[in-house]
Amino acid sequence: MSLDESHAYRFCPRCGGALDRRLLKPTEPERLVCIACGFVFYLDPKIAVGTIIRTDSQSLVLVRRAIDPGYGKWVFPGGYVDRGEPLTVAAIREAREECGLEVRLDGLVNIYSYPGRAPVIVVYAATALGGTLCVDDEGLEIAEFTAAAIPWNDLAFRSTSEALRDYLAGLLHPVSA
């Protein structure tokens, strides 16, 4: 979230005092600072994880979103990391929740971030180990796609497209548990 989007934050979460925009360091953006207690309210990015899952049939699992943003578009399973949750645990959890599969993480595809956007997206390559393909309340449907059949023009996010391209190009980094 940029400071321009921070207009919803008017009061300090510590003391209830008014927040004011201040430049604390010339090399950093303005920050929200409490005029009463001096608390600095950092608007940090949100961390999301995704898993590009290969099945026994060598297909990739994609979910059609039932929520905005990207309603009706295709993504690989993923979601936000809970505070204190290891990234790899979150990736495995999101795969189980969003598509019903137990997975093994095979490598890190890449990390994606974009100017003016809050989420940082960490994408892993994974192999399906078990479970049954199904969607949760965030998905309209689930399908397996060969690399040649990926619906490139119907993907939900820039990170979805970029991660799938990186994955198909074989760009993987080892994962530490």
Side-chain angles (χ1 to χ4, degrees):
M1 177 180 299
S2 71
L3 200 57
D4 293 336
E5 297 172 282
S6 67
H7 63 278
Y9 299 104
R10 299 184 337 205
F11 302 103
C12 176
R14 286 205 175 148
C15 75
L19 294 174
D20 187 33
R21 292 178 181 215
R22 295 197 182 147
L23 187 62
L24 302 177
K25 294 182 182 178
T27 58
E28 295 182 359
E30 287 184 329
R31 308 284 185 193
L32 293 174
V33 179
C34 177
I35 61 173
C37 74
F39 173 77
V40 180
F41 187 17
Y42 289 97
L43 295 171
D44 297 324
K46 298 271 301 169
I47 304 295
V49 291
T51 52
I52 299 175
I53 304 168
R54 184 175 298 278
T55 64
D56 287 343
S57 65
Q58 300 304 301
S59 296
L60 302 178
V61 174
L62 295 178
V63 178
R64 189 184 296 266
R65 289 176 62 85
I67 57 173
D68 280 319
Y71 182 92
K73 302 282 187 174
W74 292 96
V75 294
F76 40 76
Y80 287 110
V81 178
D82 293 327
R83 184 177 300 276
E85 183 180 32
L87 295 173
T88 54
V89 171
I92 292 167
R93 174 184 54 77
E94 286 290 343
R96 184 181 324 105
E97 289 175 3
E98 290 200 356
C99 71
L101 296 178
E102 297 297 327
V103 300
R104 175 190 70 230
L105 300 182
D106 300 322
L108 174 67
V109 176
N110 211 337
I111 300 169
Y112 305 89
S113 64
Y114 305 99
R117 306 289 301 171
V120 173
I121 304 101
V122 179
V123 181
Y124 293 97
T127 299
L129 299 176
T132 304
L133 276 178
C134 62
V135 292
D136 67 359
D137 59 341
E138 295 181 5
L140 296 170
E141 66 178 300
I142 193 161
E144 294 182 48
F145 293 91
T146 64
I150 292 172
W152 294 104
N153 293 328
D154 211 15
L155 297 176
F157 307 112
R158 178 177 167 189
S159 59
T160 305
S161 176
E162 289 180 5
L164 285 168
R165 289 185 197 286
D166 288 346
Y167 174 84
L168 293 171
L171 301 177
L172 291 185
H173 310 280
V175 174
S176 59

